Amino acid sequence: MSRLVPFLLVTFYIGASWASNGCVELDKLSFDKIVKRFRYTLVKFDVAFPYGEKHEAFTSFALESNEALDDLLFALVGIKDYGEKENADLGKRFKIPEKYPVIKLFNNETLDTYVDYPEDDPITVDSLRKFVSANTDLYIGLPGCLKEIDELAAKFSCPKKSKEALLEIVTETEQMENLFSAEKAHKSFQIYLTLMRKMAQSDKSVKEFIAGEKDRVRNLLKGKISDNKKADLNLRLNIMESFKSGRTPDKAASDEL
């Protein structure tokens, strides 16, 4: 399908709506037509004229991802509980409680199946980024992550990899060190490499190792630590998100939704 068609459609709806930059407004007539044209659509169901930190986080993530993610559309559905109650039918269709905002991730293969953004998770750019990254095959580099090493991390996480295969990936990673001479990039690179070396020598599966390491780091974050230490631990958590079994950043399609 030509990219021109969805581009023109989105341009039309953005120009005709109150939608914020980077987002498109949807209603009962446009919802299916537009969502079906994109592999993924992140929809925020909210009051008719949203504002505040949660709305700003959603639109900031949309703007941040605009050029990098052609296959992800950001959409807003404004629900009115007065007058003609616009979009109340969409609220009923997708079982939206009267506690806004509600965010859902759609796959264009079936609009009846979607992933709910965790109700208890804060709505921040970082949390939204992690949610999309965890539930799609799209490459979304979390802060501090390195795309080239993320590709190796995804290969590293394949459940059937032997010890020998894991050590080969460690060697391949080591040979890429000179690509990341800048201070921040080199720091991230060293975290990837340290994790890979430990996992290659561990008796645990990659999945088990990462789960345990995440728990350890999260517990450390609950303690009294310096801002620098907190930043280092959050960087480590971001990088651990790259070790996802059976997924690579360049995978063309996903069956996870």
Side-chain angles (χ1 to χ4, degrees), residues 74-121:
F74 291 83
L76 303 173
V77 173
I79 300 176
K80 292 183 178 179
D81 60 359
Y82 56 89
E84 296 183 1
K85 296 188 176 181
E86 294 174 18
N87 293 329
D89 44 2
L90 281 177
K92 183 177 181 181
R93 174 183 174 185
F94 295 114
K95 302 178 177 63
I96 306 299
E98 292 184 6
K99 184 182 178 182
Y100 305 118
V102 175
I103 297 173
K104 295 179 182 288
L105 178 65
F106 291 84
N107 182 315
N108 65 358
E109 292 181 1
T110 170
L111 303 189
D112 294 325
T113 302
Y114 42 81
V115 180
D116 290 310
Y117 187 83
E119 184 178 338
D120 296 331
D121 280 9

mmCIF file of all heavy atoms in Angstrom, residues 74-121:
data_model
loop_
_atom_site.group_PDB
_atom_site.id
_atom_site.type_symbol
_atom_site.label_atom_id
_atom_site.label_comp_id
_atom_site.label_asym_id
_atom_site.label_seq_id
_atom_site.Cartn_x
_atom_site.Cartn_y
_atom_site.Cartn_z
ATOM 1 N N PHE A 74 -0.382 7.835 16.460
ATOM 2 C CA PHE A 74 -0.854 8.303 17.764
ATOM 3 C C PHE A 74 -2.205 8.976 17.555
ATOM 4 O O PHE A 74 -2.344 9.850 16.690
ATOM 5 C CB PHE A 74 0.136 9.297 18.366
ATOM 6 C CG PHE A 74 1.423 8.667 18.785
ATOM 7 C CD1 PHE A 74 2.436 8.445 17.854
ATOM 8 C CD2 PHE A 74 1.633 8.269 20.094
ATOM 9 C CE1 PHE A 74 3.629 7.852 18.225
ATOM 10 C CE2 PHE A 74 2.829 7.676 20.478
ATOM 11 C CZ PHE A 74 3.832 7.470 19.541
ATOM 12 N N ALA A 75 -3.189 8.553 18.324
ATOM 13 C CA ALA A 75 -4.543 9.046 18.106
ATOM 14 C C ALA A 75 -5.201 9.437 19.427
ATOM 15 O O ALA A 75 -4.877 8.910 20.491
ATOM 16 C CB ALA A 75 -5.384 7.997 17.396
ATOM 17 N N LEU A 76 -6.151 10.366 19.310
ATOM 18 C CA LEU A 76 -6.928 10.834 20.448
ATOM 19 C C LEU A 76 -8.415 10.627 20.164
ATOM 20 O O LEU A 76 -8.878 10.898 19.060
ATOM 21 C CB LEU A 76 -6.669 12.319 20.697
ATOM 22 C CG LEU A 76 -5.227 12.755 20.929
ATOM 23 C CD1 LEU A 76 -5.149 14.279 20.974
ATOM 24 C CD2 LEU A 76 -4.679 12.159 22.206
ATOM 25 N N VAL A 77 -9.133 10.144 21.151
ATOM 26 C CA VAL A 77 -10.593 10.039 21.069
ATOM 27 C C VAL A 77 -11.160 10.833 22.236
ATOM 28 O O VAL A 77 -10.988 10.465 23.410
ATOM 29 C CB VAL A 77 -11.067 8.574 21.140
ATOM 30 C CG1 VAL A 77 -12.598 8.523 21.215
ATOM 31 C CG2 VAL A 77 -10.583 7.788 19.929
ATOM 32 N N GLY A 78 -11.802 11.947 21.918
ATOM 33 C CA GLY A 78 -12.397 12.790 22.955
ATOM 34 C C GLY A 78 -13.838 12.389 23.210
ATOM 35 O O GLY A 78 -14.664 12.382 22.291
ATOM 36 N N ILE A 79 -14.146 12.019 24.435
ATOM 37 C CA ILE A 79 -15.480 11.531 24.781
ATOM 38 C C ILE A 79 -16.225 12.590 25.599
ATOM 39 O O ILE A 79 -15.741 13.041 26.632
ATOM 40 C CB ILE A 79 -15.395 10.215 25.580
ATOM 41 C CG1 ILE A 79 -14.675 9.138 24.741
ATOM 42 C CG2 ILE A 79 -16.781 9.739 25.989
ATOM 43 C CD1 ILE A 79 -14.447 7.835 25.478
ATOM 44 N N LYS A 80 -17.402 12.984 25.114
ATOM 45 C CA LYS A 80 -18.218 13.967 25.818
ATOM 46 C C LYS A 80 -19.332 13.270 26.588
ATOM 47 O O LYS A 80 -19.976 12.351 26.072
ATOM 48 C CB LYS A 80 -18.830 14.964 24.825
ATOM 49 C CG LYS A 80 -17.817 15.897 24.161
ATOM 50 C CD LYS A 80 -18.528 16.894 23.256
ATOM 51 C CE LYS A 80 -17.545 17.874 22.618
ATOM 52 N NZ LYS A 80 -18.215 18.842 21.724
ATOM 53 N N ASP A 81 -19.549 13.714 27.807
ATOM 54 C CA ASP A 81 -20.654 13.158 28.599
ATOM 55 C C ASP A 81 -21.802 14.149 28.707
ATOM 56 O O ASP A 81 -22.627 14.087 29.610
ATOM 57 C CB ASP A 81 -20.162 12.768 30.000
ATOM 58 C CG ASP A 81 -19.593 13.950 30.777
ATOM 59 O OD1 ASP A 81 -19.574 15.068 30.216
ATOM 60 O OD2 ASP A 81 -19.174 13.755 31.939
ATOM 61 N N TYR A 82 -21.843 15.072 27.758
ATOM 62 C CA TYR A 82 -22.901 16.070 27.747
ATOM 63 C C TYR A 82 -23.329 16.319 26.303
ATOM 64 O O TYR A 82 -22.680 15.858 25.353
ATOM 65 C CB TYR A 82 -22.420 17.379 28.389
ATOM 66 C CG TYR A 82 -21.177 17.944 27.734
ATOM 67 C CD1 TYR A 82 -21.257 18.822 26.653
ATOM 68 C CD2 TYR A 82 -19.915 17.578 28.184
ATOM 69 C CE1 TYR A 82 -20.118 19.335 26.037
ATOM 70 C CE2 TYR A 82 -18.755 18.083 27.583
ATOM 71 C CZ TYR A 82 -18.867 18.952 26.516
ATOM 72 O OH TYR A 82 -17.738 19.437 25.916
ATOM 73 N N GLY A 83 -24.412 17.047 26.116
ATOM 74 C CA GLY A 83 -24.892 17.366 24.772
ATOM 75 C C GLY A 83 -25.186 16.106 23.975
ATOM 76 O O GLY A 83 -25.918 15.220 24.431
ATOM 77 N N GLU A 84 -24.605 16.026 22.809
ATOM 78 C CA GLU A 84 -24.821 14.864 21.947
ATOM 79 C C GLU A 84 -23.924 13.689 22.319
ATOM 80 O O GLU A 84 -23.940 12.651 21.665
ATOM 81 C CB GLU A 84 -24.577 15.256 20.482
ATOM 82 C CG GLU A 84 -25.571 16.301 19.981
ATOM 83 C CD GLU A 84 -25.363 16.608 18.514
ATOM 84 O OE1 GLU A 84 -24.477 15.999 17.892
ATOM 85 O OE2 GLU A 84 -26.093 17.475 17.990
ATOM 86 N N LYS A 85 -23.142 13.856 23.367
ATOM 87 C CA LYS A 85 -22.269 12.781 23.887
ATOM 88 C C LYS A 85 -21.414 12.163 22.789
ATOM 89 O O LYS A 85 -21.431 10.947 22.567
ATOM 90 C CB LYS A 85 -23.110 11.720 24.597
ATOM 91 C CG LYS A 85 -23.824 12.255 25.836
ATOM 92 C CD LYS A 85 -24.495 11.156 26.631
ATOM 93 C CE LYS A 85 -25.097 11.737 27.909
ATOM 94 N NZ LYS A 85 -25.741 10.693 28.734
ATOM 95 N N GLU A 86 -20.657 13.020 22.117
ATOM 96 C CA GLU A 86 -19.805 12.568 21.021
ATOM 97 C C GLU A 86 -18.806 11.508 21.494
ATOM 98 O O GLU A 86 -18.186 11.649 22.544
ATOM 99 C CB GLU A 86 -19.051 13.753 20.420
ATOM 100 C CG GLU A 86 -19.964 14.757 19.735
ATOM 101 C CD GLU A 86 -19.201 15.983 19.276
ATOM 102 O OE1 GLU A 86 -17.961 15.895 19.178
ATOM 103 O OE2 GLU A 86 -19.838 17.017 19.028
ATOM 104 N N ASN A 87 -18.678 10.470 20.689
ATOM 105 C CA ASN A 87 -17.736 9.367 20.902
ATOM 106 C C ASN A 87 -18.066 8.494 22.109
ATOM 107 O O ASN A 87 -17.271 7.622 22.477
ATOM 108 C CB ASN A 87 -16.295 9.867 21.013
ATOM 109 C CG ASN A 87 -15.804 10.442 19.705
ATOM 110 O OD1 ASN A 87 -16.220 10.017 18.634
ATOM 111 N ND2 ASN A 87 -14.921 11.419 19.778
ATOM 112 N N ALA A 88 -19.230 8.721 22.717
ATOM 113 C CA ALA A 88 -19.638 7.839 23.814
ATOM 114 C C ALA A 88 -19.799 6.414 23.306
ATOM 115 O O ALA A 88 -19.571 5.440 24.047
ATOM 116 C CB ALA A 88 -20.943 8.336 24.429
ATOM 117 N N ASP A 89 -20.182 6.275 22.023
ATOM 118 C CA ASP A 89 -20.329 4.939 21.442
ATOM 119 C C ASP A 89 -18.976 4.228 21.352
ATOM 120 O O ASP A 89 -18.878 3.017 21.580
ATOM 121 C CB ASP A 89 -20.985 5.012 20.061
ATOM 122 C CG ASP A 89 -20.418 6.113 19.196
ATOM 123 O OD1 ASP A 89 -19.475 6.816 19.626
ATOM 124 O OD2 ASP A 89 -20.926 6.304 18.081
ATOM 125 N N LEU A 90 -17.908 4.963 21.030
ATOM 126 C CA LEU A 90 -16.575 4.356 21.011
ATOM 127 C C LEU A 90 -16.147 3.968 22.426
ATOM 128 O O LEU A 90 -15.517 2.938 22.629
ATOM 129 C CB LEU A 90 -15.551 5.323 20.410
ATOM 130 C CG LEU A 90 -15.530 5.441 18.885
ATOM 131 C CD1 LEU A 90 -14.503 6.485 18.453
ATOM 132 C CD2 LEU A 90 -15.209 4.102 18.228
ATOM 133 N N GLY A 91 -16.505 4.791 23.383
ATOM 134 C CA GLY A 91 -16.202 4.470 24.774
ATOM 135 C C GLY A 91 -16.874 3.174 25.194
ATOM 136 O O GLY A 91 -16.269 2.331 25.865
ATOM 137 N N LYS A 92 -18.125 3.011 24.782
ATOM 138 C CA LYS A 92 -18.862 1.794 25.106
ATOM 139 C C LYS A 92 -18.275 0.592 24.360
ATOM 140 O O LYS A 92 -18.131 -0.491 24.935
ATOM 141 C CB LYS A 92 -20.339 1.972 24.737
ATOM 142 C CG LYS A 92 -21.208 0.782 25.098
ATOM 143 C CD LYS A 92 -22.671 1.058 24.780
ATOM 144 C CE LYS A 92 -23.547 -0.128 25.156
ATOM 145 N NZ LYS A 92 -24.990 0.133 24.831
ATOM 146 N N ARG A 93 -17.924 0.780 23.096
ATOM 147 C CA ARG A 93 -17.370 -0.307 22.274
ATOM 148 C C ARG A 93 -16.098 -0.879 22.884
ATOM 149 O O ARG A 93 -15.903 -2.092 22.916
ATOM 150 C CB ARG A 93 -17.095 0.211 20.865
ATOM 151 C CG ARG A 93 -16.388 -0.796 19.954
ATOM 152 C CD ARG A 93 -16.092 -0.162 18.600
ATOM 153 N NE ARG A 93 -15.301 -1.025 17.768
ATOM 154 C CZ ARG A 93 -14.814 -0.677 16.570
ATOM 155 N NH1 ARG A 93 -15.078 0.530 16.078
ATOM 156 N NH2 ARG A 93 -14.093 -1.524 15.868
ATOM 157 N N PHE A 94 -15.233 0.015 23.398
ATOM 158 C CA PHE A 94 -13.948 -0.440 23.921
ATOM 159 C C PHE A 94 -13.908 -0.466 25.449
ATOM 160 O O PHE A 94 -12.838 -0.519 26.043
ATOM 161 C CB PHE A 94 -12.826 0.445 23.367
ATOM 162 C CG PHE A 94 -12.665 0.314 21.882
ATOM 163 C CD1 PHE A 94 -12.947 1.390 21.045
ATOM 164 C CD2 PHE A 94 -12.264 -0.884 21.313
ATOM 165 C CE1 PHE A 94 -12.817 1.265 19.667
ATOM 166 C CE2 PHE A 94 -12.126 -1.017 19.938
ATOM 167 C CZ PHE A 94 -12.407 0.057 19.107
ATOM 168 N N LYS A 95 -15.106 -0.442 26.052
ATOM 169 C CA LYS A 95 -15.242 -0.614 27.500
ATOM 170 C C LYS A 95 -14.379 0.392 28.273
ATOM 171 O O LYS A 95 -13.610 0.026 29.167
ATOM 172 C CB LYS A 95 -14.885 -2.056 27.900
ATOM 173 C CG LYS A 95 -15.740 -3.115 27.208
ATOM 174 C CD LYS A 95 -15.310 -4.509 27.617
ATOM 175 C CE LYS A 95 -16.197 -5.577 26.999
ATOM 176 N NZ LYS A 95 -16.146 -5.608 25.545
ATOM 177 N N ILE A 96 -14.517 1.649 27.910
ATOM 178 C CA ILE A 96 -13.728 2.694 28.554
ATOM 179 C C ILE A 96 -14.427 3.150 29.830
ATOM 180 O O ILE A 96 -15.561 3.638 29.775
ATOM 181 C CB ILE A 96 -13.542 3.906 27.612
ATOM 182 C CG1 ILE A 96 -12.955 3.461 26.268
ATOM 183 C CG2 ILE A 96 -12.662 4.956 28.281
ATOM 184 C CD1 ILE A 96 -11.598 2.812 26.367
ATOM 185 N N PRO A 97 -13.797 3.000 30.979
ATOM 186 C CA PRO A 97 -14.416 3.478 32.230
ATOM 187 C C PRO A 97 -14.388 5.000 32.269
ATOM 188 O O PRO A 97 -13.616 5.640 31.552
ATOM 189 C CB PRO A 97 -13.505 2.881 33.308
ATOM 190 C CG PRO A 97 -12.165 2.767 32.639
ATOM 191 C CD PRO A 97 -12.458 2.431 31.202
ATOM 192 N N GLU A 98 -15.208 5.585 33.102
ATOM 193 C CA GLU A 98 -15.242 7.051 33.200
ATOM 194 C C GLU A 98 -14.131 7.535 34.118
ATOM 195 O O GLU A 98 -14.336 8.333 35.036
ATOM 196 C CB GLU A 98 -16.614 7.501 33.688
ATOM 197 C CG GLU A 98 -17.711 7.259 32.672
ATOM 198 C CD GLU A 98 -19.049 7.804 33.124
ATOM 199 O OE1 GLU A 98 -19.082 8.480 34.180
ATOM 200 O OE2 GLU A 98 -20.055 7.562 32.446
ATOM 201 N N LYS A 99 -12.955 7.061 33.859
ATOM 202 C CA LYS A 99 -11.762 7.469 34.602
ATOM 203 C C LYS A 99 -10.671 7.695 33.566
ATOM 204 O O LYS A 99 -9.940 6.793 33.197
ATOM 205 C CB LYS A 99 -11.354 6.387 35.609
ATOM 206 C CG LYS A 99 -10.167 6.786 36.476
ATOM 207 C CD LYS A 99 -9.791 5.652 37.421
ATOM 208 C CE LYS A 99 -8.579 6.033 38.258
ATOM 209 N NZ LYS A 99 -8.155 4.934 39.172
ATOM 210 N N TYR A 100 -10.612 8.902 33.074
ATOM 211 C CA TYR A 100 -9.721 9.220 31.962
ATOM 212 C C TYR A 100 -8.357 9.709 32.472
ATOM 213 O O TYR A 100 -8.257 10.204 33.585
ATOM 214 C CB TYR A 100 -10.361 10.299 31.087
ATOM 215 C CG TYR A 100 -11.742 9.945 30.587
ATOM 216 C CD1 TYR A 100 -12.845 10.713 30.940
ATOM 217 C CD2 TYR A 100 -11.927 8.842 29.750
ATOM 218 C CE1 TYR A 100 -14.111 10.398 30.476
ATOM 219 C CE2 TYR A 100 -13.189 8.523 29.289
ATOM 220 C CZ TYR A 100 -14.282 9.296 29.658
ATOM 221 O OH TYR A 100 -15.531 8.976 29.203
ATOM 222 N N PRO A 101 -7.321 9.569 31.639
ATOM 223 C CA PRO A 101 -7.350 8.958 30.306
ATOM 224 C C PRO A 101 -7.179 7.442 30.365
ATOM 225 O O PRO A 101 -6.680 6.900 31.352
ATOM 226 C CB PRO A 101 -6.138 9.609 29.627
ATOM 227 C CG PRO A 101 -5.175 9.823 30.748
ATOM 228 C CD PRO A 101 -6.015 10.189 31.937
ATOM 229 N N VAL A 102 -7.595 6.785 29.275
ATOM 230 C CA VAL A 102 -7.385 5.349 29.091
ATOM 231 C C VAL A 102 -6.619 5.172 27.779
ATOM 232 O O VAL A 102 -7.011 5.726 26.752
ATOM 233 C CB VAL A 102 -8.728 4.590 29.029
ATOM 234 C CG1 VAL A 102 -8.488 3.110 28.701
ATOM 235 C CG2 VAL A 102 -9.474 4.731 30.349
ATOM 236 N N ILE A 103 -5.553 4.413 27.820
ATOM 237 C CA ILE A 103 -4.707 4.234 26.636
ATOM 238 C C ILE A 103 -4.726 2.773 26.199
ATOM 239 O O ILE A 103 -4.605 1.866 27.025
ATOM 240 C CB ILE A 103 -3.257 4.685 26.934
ATOM 241 C CG1 ILE A 103 -3.232 6.185 27.250
ATOM 242 C CG2 ILE A 103 -2.333 4.377 25.760
ATOM 243 C CD1 ILE A 103 -1.888 6.696 27.723
ATOM 244 N N LYS A 104 -4.895 2.565 24.904
ATOM 245 C CA LYS A 104 -4.914 1.218 24.348
ATOM 246 C C LYS A 104 -4.035 1.171 23.102
ATOM 247 O O LYS A 104 -3.976 2.130 22.331
ATOM 248 C CB LYS A 104 -6.341 0.793 23.984
ATOM 249 C CG LYS A 104 -7.281 0.665 25.193
ATOM 250 C CD LYS A 104 -8.681 0.271 24.767
ATOM 251 C CE LYS A 104 -9.630 0.188 25.953
ATOM 252 N NZ LYS A 104 -9.369 -0.972 26.816
ATOM 253 N N LEU A 105 -3.384 0.028 22.906
ATOM 254 C CA LEU A 105 -2.528 -0.189 21.737
ATOM 255 C C LEU A 105 -3.226 -1.170 20.805
ATOM 256 O O LEU A 105 -3.540 -2.297 21.196
ATOM 257 C CB LEU A 105 -1.172 -0.746 22.169
ATOM 258 C CG LEU A 105 -0.183 -1.076 21.052
ATOM 259 C CD1 LEU A 105 0.252 0.187 20.309
ATOM 260 C CD2 LEU A 105 1.035 -1.799 21.622
ATOM 261 N N PHE A 106 -3.469 -0.736 19.561
ATOM 262 C CA PHE A 106 -4.172 -1.550 18.580
ATOM 263 C C PHE A 106 -3.223 -2.066 17.506
ATOM 264 O O PHE A 106 -2.249 -1.399 17.147
ATOM 265 C CB PHE A 106 -5.283 -0.733 17.897
ATOM 266 C CG PHE A 106 -6.427 -0.394 18.802
ATOM 267 C CD1 PHE A 106 -6.356 0.712 19.643
ATOM 268 C CD2 PHE A 106 -7.567 -1.177 18.816
ATOM 269 C CE1 PHE A 106 -7.418 1.032 20.484
ATOM 270 C CE2 PHE A 106 -8.639 -0.862 19.659
ATOM 271 C CZ PHE A 106 -8.557 0.245 20.489
ATOM 272 N N ASN A 107 -3.547 -3.240 17.004
ATOM 273 C CA ASN A 107 -2.870 -3.840 15.856
ATOM 274 C C ASN A 107 -3.882 -3.877 14.729
ATOM 275 O O ASN A 107 -5.031 -4.272 14.941
ATOM 276 C CB ASN A 107 -2.410 -5.257 16.222
ATOM 277 C CG ASN A 107 -1.645 -5.935 15.109
ATOM 278 O OD1 ASN A 107 -2.026 -5.890 13.949
ATOM 279 N ND2 ASN A 107 -0.569 -6.603 15.481
ATOM 280 N N ASN A 108 -3.489 -3.475 13.526
ATOM 281 C CA ASN A 108 -4.479 -3.366 12.446
ATOM 282 C C ASN A 108 -4.994 -4.700 11.937
ATOM 283 O O ASN A 108 -5.909 -4.744 11.119
ATOM 284 C CB ASN A 108 -3.941 -2.531 11.282
ATOM 285 C CG ASN A 108 -2.760 -3.174 10.576
ATOM 286 O OD1 ASN A 108 -2.290 -4.250 10.961
ATOM 287 N ND2 ASN A 108 -2.266 -2.504 9.551
ATOM 288 N N GLU A 109 -4.437 -5.796 12.409
ATOM 289 C CA GLU A 109 -4.940 -7.100 11.971
ATOM 290 C C GLU A 109 -6.312 -7.393 12.552
ATOM 291 O O GLU A 109 -7.124 -8.084 11.961
ATOM 292 C CB GLU A 109 -3.946 -8.204 12.358
ATOM 293 C CG GLU A 109 -2.632 -8.123 11.584
ATOM 294 C CD GLU A 109 -1.688 -9.228 11.957
ATOM 295 O OE1 GLU A 109 -2.057 -10.066 12.809
ATOM 296 O OE2 GLU A 109 -0.580 -9.264 11.397
ATOM 297 N N THR A 110 -6.567 -6.902 13.750
ATOM 298 C CA THR A 110 -7.883 -7.059 14.356
ATOM 299 C C THR A 110 -8.087 -5.960 15.383
ATOM 300 O O THR A 110 -7.315 -5.827 16.328
ATOM 301 C CB THR A 110 -8.065 -8.430 15.038
ATOM 302 O OG1 THR A 110 -9.285 -8.405 15.805
ATOM 303 C CG2 THR A 110 -6.902 -8.786 15.942
ATOM 304 N N LEU A 111 -9.128 -5.179 15.202
ATOM 305 C CA LEU A 111 -9.383 -4.072 16.119
ATOM 306 C C LEU A 111 -10.115 -4.528 17.382
ATOM 307 O O LEU A 111 -10.297 -3.746 18.304
ATOM 308 C CB LEU A 111 -10.190 -2.980 15.417
ATOM 309 C CG LEU A 111 -9.564 -2.400 14.144
ATOM 310 C CD1 LEU A 111 -10.352 -1.181 13.683
ATOM 311 C CD2 LEU A 111 -8.107 -2.042 14.349
ATOM 312 N N ASP A 112 -10.515 -5.791 17.393
ATOM 313 C CA ASP A 112 -11.203 -6.313 18.570
ATOM 314 C C ASP A 112 -10.224 -6.809 19.623
ATOM 315 O O ASP A 112 -10.617 -7.157 20.734
ATOM 316 C CB ASP A 112 -12.141 -7.457 18.171
ATOM 317 C CG ASP A 112 -13.281 -6.971 17.290
ATOM 318 O OD1 ASP A 112 -13.732 -5.831 17.513
ATOM 319 O OD2 ASP A 112 -13.699 -7.715 16.383
ATOM 320 N N THR A 113 -8.949 -6.866 19.264
ATOM 321 C CA THR A 113 -7.909 -7.292 20.199
ATOM 322 C C THR A 113 -6.933 -6.147 20.379
ATOM 323 O O THR A 113 -6.443 -5.590 19.404
ATOM 324 C CB THR A 113 -7.166 -8.533 19.666
ATOM 325 O OG1 THR A 113 -8.109 -9.585 19.452
ATOM 326 C CG2 THR A 113 -6.111 -9.000 20.660
ATOM 327 N N TYR A 114 -6.667 -5.801 21.610
ATOM 328 C CA TYR A 114 -5.778 -4.676 21.874
ATOM 329 C C TYR A 114 -5.095 -4.899 23.221
ATOM 330 O O TYR A 114 -5.457 -5.797 23.995
ATOM 331 C CB TYR A 114 -6.555 -3.353 21.890
ATOM 332 C CG TYR A 114 -7.880 -3.419 22.610
ATOM 333 C CD1 TYR A 114 -7.947 -3.325 23.999
ATOM 334 C CD2 TYR A 114 -9.066 -3.606 21.905
ATOM 335 C CE1 TYR A 114 -9.156 -3.410 24.661
ATOM 336 C CE2 TYR A 114 -10.286 -3.687 22.568
ATOM 337 C CZ TYR A 114 -10.326 -3.589 23.942
ATOM 338 O OH TYR A 114 -11.519 -3.675 24.590
ATOM 339 N N VAL A 115 -4.091 -4.092 23.478
ATOM 340 C CA VAL A 115 -3.355 -4.185 24.740
ATOM 341 C C VAL A 115 -3.668 -2.943 25.561
ATOM 342 O O VAL A 115 -3.519 -1.820 25.085
ATOM 343 C CB VAL A 115 -1.831 -4.285 24.505
ATOM 344 C CG1 VAL A 115 -1.095 -4.378 25.837
ATOM 345 C CG2 VAL A 115 -1.501 -5.495 23.630
ATOM 346 N N ASP A 116 -4.091 -3.141 26.787
ATOM 347 C CA ASP A 116 -4.400 -2.026 27.683
ATOM 348 C C ASP A 116 -3.145 -1.520 28.374
ATOM 349 O O ASP A 116 -2.344 -2.314 28.891
ATOM 350 C CB ASP A 116 -5.409 -2.461 28.752
ATOM 351 C CG ASP A 116 -6.783 -2.714 28.178
ATOM 352 O OD1 ASP A 116 -7.281 -1.841 27.440
ATOM 353 O OD2 ASP A 116 -7.365 -3.776 28.453
ATOM 354 N N TYR A 117 -2.994 -0.221 28.387
ATOM 355 C CA TYR A 117 -1.908 0.371 29.164
ATOM 356 C C TYR A 117 -2.223 0.129 30.636
ATOM 357 O O TYR A 117 -3.341 0.387 31.088
ATOM 358 C CB TYR A 117 -1.830 1.874 28.876
ATOM 359 C CG TYR A 117 -0.640 2.560 29.493
ATOM 360 C CD1 TYR A 117 0.596 2.539 28.864
ATOM 361 C CD2 TYR A 117 -0.748 3.222 30.710
ATOM 362 C CE1 TYR A 117 1.695 3.166 29.422
ATOM 363 C CE2 TYR A 117 0.334 3.853 31.283
ATOM 364 C CZ TYR A 117 1.564 3.817 30.630
ATOM 365 O OH TYR A 117 2.645 4.429 31.196
ATOM 366 N N PRO A 118 -1.252 -0.391 31.397
ATOM 367 C CA PRO A 118 -1.523 -0.720 32.812
ATOM 368 C C PRO A 118 -2.090 0.455 33.592
ATOM 369 O O PRO A 118 -1.531 1.555 33.577
ATOM 370 C CB PRO A 118 -0.134 -1.118 33.340
ATOM 371 C CG PRO A 118 0.607 -1.607 32.129
ATOM 372 C CD PRO A 118 0.130 -0.720 31.010
ATOM 373 N N GLU A 119 -3.200 0.220 34.235
ATOM 374 C CA GLU A 119 -3.920 1.282 34.939
ATOM 375 C C GLU A 119 -3.070 1.935 36.025
ATOM 376 O O GLU A 119 -3.194 3.135 36.286
ATOM 377 C CB GLU A 119 -5.200 0.699 35.561
ATOM 378 C CG GLU A 119 -6.089 1.718 36.239
ATOM 379 C CD GLU A 119 -7.361 1.093 36.785
ATOM 380 O OE1 GLU A 119 -7.742 0.012 36.305
ATOM 381 O OE2 GLU A 119 -7.955 1.699 37.704
ATOM 382 N N ASP A 120 -2.207 1.139 36.658
ATOM 383 C CA ASP A 120 -1.413 1.660 37.775
ATOM 384 C C ASP A 120 -0.091 2.287 37.331
ATOM 385 O O ASP A 120 0.623 2.861 38.169
ATOM 386 C CB ASP A 120 -1.116 0.534 38.779
ATOM 387 C CG ASP A 120 -2.384 -0.010 39.428
ATOM 388 O OD1 ASP A 120 -3.355 0.765 39.554
ATOM 389 O OD2 ASP A 120 -2.409 -1.201 39.782
ATOM 390 N N ASP A 121 0.258 2.180 36.058
ATOM 391 C CA ASP A 121 1.515 2.766 35.585
ATOM 392 C C ASP A 121 1.365 4.270 35.379
ATOM 393 O O ASP A 121 0.327 4.731 34.895
ATOM 394 C CB ASP A 121 1.941 2.126 34.255
ATOM 395 C CG ASP A 121 2.622 0.782 34.451
ATOM 396 O OD1 ASP A 121 2.598 0.274 35.592
ATOM 397 O OD2 ASP A 121 3.159 0.242 33.475
#
